[in-house]
Amino acid sequence: MIRLIIIILSVIFYPNLLSAQNKITIGLQMEPPNLDPTAGAASDIDEVVYGNIFEGLVRIDQYGKIQSGLALSWDISKDGRSYVFHLAEGVKFHDGTDFDAYDVKFSFNRARAKNSTNAKKYIFKPIVMIDVFDSFTIMITLDHARSDFLFNIGLGDAVIVGEESAANNVYNPVGTGPFKFKRWIRGERIELIANDQYWGGAVWLERVTFKFITDPLSAYTAMMAGDIDAFPNYPAPENLFLFEIDPTFDVIVGLTAGETILSTNNKSAPFDNILVRRAMAYAINRQEIIDGAMFGNAVPIGSHFAPDHPYYVDLTALYTQNLTKARALLKEAGYEQGFTASLKLPPPIYARRTGELIAYQLAKIGIDLKIENMEWAQWIDQVLRHKNYDLTIVSHVEPMDIVIYANPNYYFGYDNKDFQKIIDDIDHSNDKAQTEKLYQEAQRKIADDAVNGYLFQLGKYGVWKKNLMGMWRNYPIRANVLRDVYFAEAQ
Amino acid sequence: MTKFPISLWVGLLMTILFVMAAAVSFFWTPYDVRELDIASRFIAPSFSHLFGTDHFGRDIFSMIMVGARNAIGVSLLAVGIGIMIGVPLGLWAAATRTYGGGFIDEILMRTNDLIFAFPSLLMAILITAVFGPSAINAIIAIGIFNIPVFARISRGAALSLSSKEYIMAARVSGKGMVRISYEHILPNILNLLIVQATIQFSIAIIAEASLSYVGLGSQPPDPSLGRMLNEAQTMIFFAPWLVYFPGGAIISMVVGLNLMGDGLRDLLDPKTNKAKEEDVVA
C-alpha cells in the first residue's frame, strides 16, 4: 500500500520518471547571422540547421564519411563524369509541398546562378548539365571526373531547398529534415520542433532549443545549473576537468576539421623570404602551445590537414623547436638582429592564448611581435579581406581545405605554381590511390615551404548530460545533427 | 592649521604603497612578467609565489606591480590631460563672463554639457574601438572626459572669486585677464583642483581597468589589472587567487585615493573648514 502511494506521488511530481526526457536545450557560443546555409559563409548556420532542418542529397556523418541522404543510392559512370541519383519518394518539405527531382535541379541551379550568394560556388562550378529523368531520378554531369564532388554536395551549402520557400529560408527555413523551425528570439535562442511527417522515420526528441551563450563563464554556470543539456563545443578547455569530476556530465574530446595555424602574409616582407618562415617554424614549440593554450586537449599538426583523415601524413617532425637553427636561418636571411611585426588576433580564447605564447616563443629569436586583439568584424575586414596584416592566428574549420593554398589571392598570399599544379591534378584525379598520393604531396609541399606556422588541430570539447546519447563526437563539418539523439531512460 | 584627518593618513599610506610598488617595478620584480613557464602554472599562493601564478605560469605579484604601474601611468596622464586643457578653458570661460559678454562662456559650457551628457565609459569604448586598442588611446579617451570636470570646477571657483576685493584691485591696477587668472585666481583655486584631481585619479583607475577588462586598454604581453580579471574568469573555480589579488589591488588603489581625496578636502577646502568652525561656534 505504502509502496503504491509512493509510486503515485512520484508519478504526479516527477512525470519524467515514466517517460524519458524528450526536450533538449543545446548551448552554442555563436548565434548564426541567418538560417539559410546556402546563402552565407558562417558555419554557425550549419550548427543549427544542418541535418536538422535541411538535408542534402548525401549527408556527412560524424566520422566524415558519406552516407545516403535524400538520394538513397547513386551510380557513377566509368569516366567519373556522370552521377545518377535515385531519390527518396514520399518526402515532404515542412510547408507541405512535395520533394522531387525538380527541387534538386532548382537548388543546384539557384546555387550556381550568377546572382547566387552561395559561399561555396566552387562546389557547383564543375556541373555542366542537370537532367531530370523522372520525378525521382536525376543525372548530374561534370566537366571532368572530380574526386571530391560527392563529399562537397554533402556540405551545408548544397542542401536541397524548396522552390516555393527558398526565398524566405533566411528567417523562416523550410527543409525536409527531422525538425521544423518554430521560432527565433534574436540574441537568445532558436526553437525547433519534431517533424511528424519526417520521411526517415520518427525521431526521439520533441523539442529542441539552441541557446546562445557567448561568455564561457556563463556557459559554465548554465551547465552546472542544469539549464543546458549539452554544449557540443564548450569554449573553455581549462574547465573540462571540472565537468569530468562531476558525475552528471560526460566530457568527450573529439576532433574538428579546424587546423589552427599561424597565418603568415607571404607577400609582405620579411615573410616573403622562405628562410624567415622556416626560422619561425623552428622557433615554435607546439607542445608548449597545446599545453599552455589548450590545456593539453589538442593534436599537433605539421601541415594543413586533419590528422584523422586517411590521407594524412604526420609532418610534425619536419620542424621541431631548434633555436640555434632558427637564429642561423634568420642570420642567413639578413635579419640577425630580428625584426618587429604585428600579430592580429581574433576573439576566440584559443587564438588569444596561442598568440601570447607565439609572441613569447618568437621573441627568443629576436622577432618582436606587437599583439593586436580585434573583434571578428575588424579581423575579417583587415586580415581576410584587405590582407593588411603580418601574422594572425585562426582555425580553418572547413573540411579538406588545403585547396585554399592554390588560390594566390587568398589572404596567405601564397602563389606557387608547383602547388597549384598538384591541386589541379587532384581535381582531375579519378583514382583513389592517385588522389591520396597527390594530397600527401600537397601536405608536404606547404609544410616544406613553411607557408604558415602549423600548430594544432582544434579539438571539439563536447560536454553533455550522462544520459544523453547519440551526440556527435567529432566535427568533420560544423553540425549538431540531432536525428539519432535521445535521453536514456532515467534509472 | 587643522590637524591631519585620519582618512588622509590611511589613504596616503595605501596610495604610497602602490606608487612605490609601481616605481620599484621599473627596475625589479620578483619574477619576469614576460617569461612564460607552462610547467609552473596555477601555483597557489605560497612563499615562492606570494600571490600564486596564472595560466601561463607568470607570477601574479609581479604582474600586479607592473599592472599597477600601467594603471597609475595611464591615469596620471589622463588626469593630466584633463587639467592641462580643462583648467585654462574654465578660467577663460569665467574671465569672459566677468569681462562682459559671456558669449564664449556659453559656448564652452554648453560644449561641456554635451560631453557630460554621454556616459563617459561608453564613449571611451567607442574611441578605443575606432582608433584601435592601446594604452595611448585609453589615455586619450579617459583624458577627454576629464576635461569638462576640471573646466567646470575652475570656472565656478573663478567666478565666485571674481567679485573679491583683491581681484577688483588687480583689475583697477590694469592687469589683463590672463595675468589675473594666472597670478590671482589659479593659486586660490589650487586646493579645489588638488582634491578634484585625486578623485578623478581614482575614477581614471577604474576606467582603465574597465577598458582593459573589455580588451581595449594596454595589449598583451603588458600586464594590466583589468585584463587579468577578464582572463581569470573561467578559472575562478579552481584558481580563485587569479581574481582575488588583481581585484583587491584595484579596490585598494581606488579606496586609498578616495580616502586621500576626502582627507585633502577636509584639510584644504576653505568652505568645509569654515563650516566646521561655524559648527563649533554654534
Side-chain angles (χ1 to χ4, degrees), chain A residues 128-173:
Chain A
V128 287
M129 221 164 26
I130 302 178
D131 298 302
V132 176
F133 289 168
D134 62 53
S135 291
F136 299 102
T137 316
I138 190 165
M139 182 170 86
I140 295 176
T141 312
L142 308 181
D143 49 359
H144 55 74
R146 300 264 177 178
S147 49
D148 54 359
F149 180 71
L150 213 49
F151 183 87
N152 282 346
I153 60 168
L155 298 176
D157 307 81
V159 296
I160 306 304
V161 297
E163 196 164 352
E164 297 83 355
S165 49
N168 296 323
N169 279 345
V170 173
Y171 301 113
N172 183 24

Side-chain angles (χ1 to χ4, degrees), chain B residues 7 14 22 33 51 53 62 67 74 116 135 146 153 157 179 188 198 219 230 238 269:
Chain B
S7 61
M14 288 167 84
V33 292
F51 289 175
T53 60
S62 312
V74 167
F116 255 132
N146 271 308
I153 286 240
R179 277 190 70 185
N188 284 297
T198 321
Q219 296 293 295
N230 183 333
F238 55 91
D269 194 335

Side-chain angles (χ1 to χ4, degrees), chain B residues 107-123:
Chain B
I107 291 182
L108 285 175
M109 285 305 120
R110 294 301 79 79
T111 317
N112 239 357
D113 291 343
L114 196 72
I115 299 181
F116 255 132
F118 289 104
S120 52
L121 197 59
L122 204 67
M123 282 301 282

Side-chain angles (χ1 to χ4, degrees), chain A residues 8 24 65 78 112 121 129 139 155 215 234 236 242 272 282 284 299 322 345 350 376-377 403 406 418 437 451 483:
Chain A
I8 291 171
I24 190 171
K65 299 236 157 45
K78 275 217 176 69
R112 66 201 186 118
K121 278 177 133 174
M129 221 164 26
M139 182 170 86
L155 298 176
D215 175 38
Y234 184 78
L242 293 169
D272 52 351
Y282 277 120
I284 290 170
V299 181
N322 184 335
L345 299 176
Y350 73 79
W376 273 122
V403 291
D418 296 337
K437 216 179 117 243
V451 181
R483 201 171 113 154

Side-chain angles (χ1 to χ4, degrees), chain A residues 215-217 220-221 236 238-239 241-242 288 291-293 295-296 349 353 356-357 360 364 369 371-373 378, chain B residues 34-38 41-42 55-56 58 129-130 132-133 214-215 219-221 227 231 233-238:
Chain A
D215 175 38
L217 183 66
Y220 177 80
T221 46
E238 62 270 28
N239 284 344
F241 84 94
L242 293 169
E288 188 176 59
D291 286 343
F295 293 76
I349 287 186
R353 287 193 187 141
E356 280 198 62
L357 285 159
Y360 168 68
K364 287 182 180 167
L369 295 185
I371 293 177
E372 271 178 66
N373 290 341
Q378 275 178 304
Chain B
R34 296 200 170 216
E35 186 66 30
L36 312 185
D37 178 12
I38 306 302
R41 71 169 161 212
F42 297 132
H55 57 292
F56 286 145
R58 289 174 295 197
V130 169
V214 295
Q219 296 293 295
R227 206 179 55 251
E231 286 174 353
Q233 270 191 116
T234 54
M235 303 160 192
I236 198 168
F237 301 105
F238 55 91

Side-chain angles (χ1 to χ4, degrees), chain A residues 317-333:
Chain A
L318 190 59
Y319 304 99
T320 47
Q321 194 182 35
N322 184 335
L323 297 181
T324 338
K325 239 182 197 164
R327 286 196 194 99
L329 281 166
L330 268 192
K331 191 175 171 188
E332 200 186 329

